[in-house]
Each structure stands twice: as C-alpha cells, then as structure tokens.
C-alpha cells in the first residue's frame, strides 16, 4: 500500500492493541490540531474507515468536547456511532474515560 495512504484508511487485519493505540494517537493529534489540520479533517471519508476507526474518532471528539466537528458534512454520521460489539484494547495504558468505556474501548 502506498505510504501516502492515511493510517485511518489502512486495513486493520491482524492489528494488535499497539497498532490501534498508534492509530488513536494519530487521530488524537489530528483532532487536537483541527485548526491547522482543517483540510485533512474535511477530506476524511468515513465510508473508507473501519467501525473501530470511526468509534475512535468519535471518542476523541467527545473527550475534548469538540462536537462542532460533528457539524462538518463528512463527519455528521459519527453522531450515530454505536458501541463496538467487541472490546477494543488500546495498548497497555492506565487511562479511563467514560466515553471510551461506553463505546467498548479500554486502555
């Protein structure tokens, strides 16, 4: 796969918890710097993302109370995110957050 492919579009076959944690960190930085990364965020295509990726993005936006990002046409669908059917473990970190827990993600 080309190195120009954004990590949130990568196939997640055989990913482990550290791989998902790396994806989380990438999305985390993207959202925190939304003012500088507005073009990348507005170009995101949710249809190319796994459910895990969409839920991670949803949790990050909720955690930082940046719900205005849900108003972007391409991210509106995130408002409808449902908890993952199976628990997603993100590395071995000691972080707890109600939004992540509700969506079946643990650190």
């Amino acid at each position: 796969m080309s190195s120009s492919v954004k990590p949130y579009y990568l196939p997640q076959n055989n990913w482990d918890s550290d791989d998902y944690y790396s994806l989380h960190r990438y999305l985390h930085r993207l959202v925190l710097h939304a003012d500088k990364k507005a073009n990348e965020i507005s170009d995101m295509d949710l249809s190319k993302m796994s459910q895990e990726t969409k839920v991670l993005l949803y949790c990050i936006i909720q955690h930082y109370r940046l719900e205005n990002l849900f108003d972007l046409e391409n991210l509106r669908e995130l408002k409808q995110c449902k908890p993952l059917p199976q628990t997603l473990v993100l590395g071995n970190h000691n972080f707890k957050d109600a939004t992540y827990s509700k969506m079946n993600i643990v650190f």
Side-chain angles (χ1 to χ4, degrees):
M1 192 165 280
S2 168
S3 61
S4 65
V5 174
K6 298 294 183 185
Y8 41 82
Y9 295 140
L10 293 173
Q12 296 168 353
N13 304 335
N14 300 316
W15 274 28
D16 63 19
S17 62
D18 289 332
D19 295 321
Y20 281 107
Y21 184 73
S22 293
L23 173 61
H24 177 265
R25 294 299 307 154
Y26 182 92
L27 293 170
H28 181 265
R29 286 187 301 276
L30 186 66
V31 169
L32 279 182
H33 300 288
D35 55 333
K36 296 176 187 168
K37 299 289 189 172
N39 288 340
E40 182 176 350
I41 291 171
S42 65
D43 287 342
M44 293 176 102
D45 182 350
L46 297 180
S47 71
K48 295 180 180 179
M49 296 180 192
S50 71
Q51 192 60 32
E52 290 81 2
T53 301
K54 289 186 251 187
V55 170
L56 284 172
L57 188 55
Y58 168 86
C59 289
I60 294 164
I61 291 169
Q62 288 287 101
H63 178 77
Y64 287 104
R65 296 188 172 125
L66 295 171
E67 290 89 354
N68 61 315
L69 292 175
F70 294 141
D71 294 335
L72 295 172
E73 184 175 331
N74 63 315
L75 299 184
R76 282 188 191 134
E77 175 189 323
L78 288 176
K79 291 186 213 179
Q80 309 306 317
C81 272
K82 304 279 187 239
L84 295 170
Q86 294 185 322
T87 301
L88 178 61
V89 178
L90 300 181
N92 186 15
H93 306 275
N94 190 19
F95 174 77
K96 295 197 185 307
D97 179 271
T99 300
Y100 287 88
S101 295
K102 180 181 94 175
M103 299 305 280
N104 210 9
I105 298 174
V106 296
F107 289 79

